[in-house]
Amino acid sequence: MTQQQVGTVVERDKYVDWLRALSLVVVVGWHWAFTILVWGPSGPEPTSPLGFTSGLWILTWLLQVLPLFFYVGGHVHLLSWGRAQGRGVGLGAFVWRRIRALALPALVLSGVWAVIGAAVTAVFRVDWMWRVVLLVLSPLWFLGVYLVLIALLPVALWLHRRYDVLALIWLGGAALVVDVLRFRYGVEQAGWLNMVIVWGLAHQAGFFYDRVVILPRRYDVALLWTGLFALFGLVYSGIYPGSMVGVPGDKWSNMAPPTFVIVALLLFQIGVVEVLRPAMERVLERPRWQRVNAFINRYALPLFLFHTTGMAIALGLSWWLFGSLGGTIPPDLKWWLERPIAIVGPLVCTAPVIYLFGRRRGRRQSGF
């Protein structure tokens, strides 16, 4: 029986905290730096520089970190359940508490933006305000999937206890079957099953985190190369696009809904973080980095929840002051050179929102 199962108190894994927070920060940074907004007939419309730059999609193999986030989340949930079980908390109560802790701030944020959307539409008679609301709230889709996986935690734990690694094989096989139905037989709606199957597999894989950590380093390298070769083969088969995010002009996206390629990406990213583990653990033992790690973890969830709100404020100010959303299609050299400073405006506008509404969530992020 593992330490998680008996509820033994163990030292907090700084590397897990780092991976979890870093995943959210990468998502936020990607949205801030690489979203191009242009004004279309129905209002602001987002697009991506990946659609205008050949070969840049390869960066998404490292920067599309949601598989890693769900993987780490699965480990954290198993660990937290072991501690709760040791305190005599029932599984139903544990699941409900985590759902409530994560869903409540997301629902409040959605409600506030719905009120803003209704008020602006009524007062200024603009047709595009609901488009703005949709864009601000759209990154919350993955929280919805995460909540479903929390609700399914009793099933996931049963599969883990009863079938162990076979559960991962079956989920991977189910994801592949869904792709066959979708791409070979044209059953397009079947693809949405992979929203639960693929992300459920990543979450379930997190239950094996401790076993992966104790493997010899050569197995970490083997995981990395297995995932990399699988990505290469699937992408260059001509069936799947190369980007791990949606790109304008691609026939379909590997993310919406997720395809079997994300399973290969998960293997690759687990291998990468395990190969980097020894060096990063040494770095995270330094007092300065411990403070950085603690700070990022404290504000990672509020930052994610409010980053599009801050981005909307920054873009609104840019439009008001300069008459521009800052979008350039296709992106030119000046646009690329501005990317390091493109996050400044959204960050400055997000910080006071976190200060006003997210400080309590920063202290207690139990939903993750």
Side-chain angles (χ1 to χ4, degrees):
M1 189 174 289
T2 65
Q3 290 179 324
Q4 289 92 331
Q5 291 171 314
V6 298
T8 303
V9 177
V10 295
E11 183 182 355
R12 193 173 183 93
D13 190 331
K14 299 181 182 67
Y15 195 45
V16 166
D17 287 343
W18 174 254
L19 292 174
R20 181 171 50 176
L22 185 65
S23 298
L24 291 178
V25 170
V26 168
V27 171
V28 170
W30 180 277
H31 287 163
W32 283 350
F34 297 110
T35 298
I36 302 176
L37 280 179
V38 294
W39 202 268
S42 59
E45 297 179 358
T47 188
S48 169
L50 297 179
F52 307 96
T53 309
S54 177
L56 193 64
W57 52 262
I58 194 69
L59 296 179
T60 66
W61 292 15
L62 287 173
L63 297 178
Q64 174 49 280
V65 289
L66 284 184
L68 187 63
F69 178 83
F70 280 101
Y71 168 71
V72 173
H75 167 66
V76 171
H77 280 144
L78 185 63
L79 193 66
S80 299
W81 164 234
R83 290 196 295 262
Q85 194 176 26
R87 298 193 303 269
V89 177
L91 182 56
F94 173 77
V95 168
W96 170 244
R97 288 176 187 174
R98 297 185 83 79
I99 289 177
R100 183 177 58 187
L102 187 58
L104 186 59
L107 289 173
V108 171
L109 177 64
S110 300
V112 169
W113 269 104
V115 171
I116 292 172
V120 171
T121 301
V123 172
F124 297 100
R125 306 292 180 184
V126 292
D127 298 328
W128 46 261
M129 187 59 201
W130 288 112
R131 177 73 174 170
V132 173
V133 173
L134 179 63
L135 290 175
V136 170
L137 297 180
S138 59
L140 297 182
W141 70 264
F142 105 88
L143 292 184
V145 176
Y146 205 76
L147 287 169
V148 170
L149 295 181
I150 295 174
L152 292 175
L153 188 61
V155 177
L157 290 171
W158 178 81
L159 286 171
H160 183 62
R161 289 193 299 266
R162 182 72 181 269
Y163 297 107
D164 200 67
V165 74
L166 274 178
L168 297 181
I169 304 300
W170 290 336
L171 287 169
L176 191 56
V177 168
V178 166
D179 279 4
V180 171
L181 290 174
R182 181 182 173 192
F183 302 131
R184 176 65 177 85
Y185 296 102
V187 188
E188 194 63 32
Q189 295 304 313
W192 293 103
L193 292 172
N194 273 349
M195 289 294 284
V196 175
I197 295 173
V198 170
W199 298 126
L201 186 154
H203 190 262
Q204 191 91 12
F207 294 172
F208 296 85
Y209 175 89
D210 288 337
R211 292 193 225 174
V212 172
V213 170
I214 64 174
L215 288 174
R217 296 304 97 183
R218 63 181 178 273
Y219 289 95
D220 301 335
V221 177
L223 268 176
L224 187 157
W225 281 104
T226 299
L228 186 60
F229 284 137
L231 281 170
F232 183 87
L234 291 168
V235 166
Y236 283 96
S237 70
I239 300 173
Y240 300 96
S243 173
M244 300 299 117
V245 299
V247 175
D250 281 349
K251 188 176 180 180
W252 50 69
S253 167
N254 280 317
M255 282 290 293
T259 66
F260 186 75
V261 172
I262 302 301
V263 178
L265 182 65
L266 173 67
L267 289 175
F268 172 63
Q269 291 186 346
I270 292 174
V272 169
V273 298
E274 288 305 318
V275 167
L276 294 177
R277 174 183 292 275
M280 280 306 304
E281 285 184 334
R282 289 193 295 271
V283 169
L284 293 173
E285 286 298 323
R286 300 171 186 171
R288 179 180 300 177
W289 278 96
Q290 288 183 20
R291 292 192 293 270
V292 169
N293 196 14
F295 180 82
I296 295 175
N297 267 277
R298 180 178 180 181
Y299 291 106
L301 179 56
L303 177 66
F304 177 81
L305 286 173
F306 297 121
H307 80 280
T308 49
T309 298
M311 187 176 179
I313 295 171
L315 290 171
L317 289 172
S318 176
W319 186 33
W320 179 48
L321 295 173
F322 308 110
S324 170
L325 290 175
T328 303
I329 294 181
D332 54 19
L333 178 60
K334 179 176 179 291
W335 186 88
W336 283 107
L337 292 175
E338 290 174 344
R339 291 311 88 203
I341 62 172
I343 66 172
V344 174
L347 179 59
V348 169
C349 293
T350 302
V353 179
I354 293 176
Y355 180 79
L356 290 174
F357 304 109
R359 287 178 294 168
R360 186 175 179 182
R361 296 300 312 161
R363 296 189 189 100
R364 187 180 181 184
Q365 298 182 23
S366 56
F368 280 130

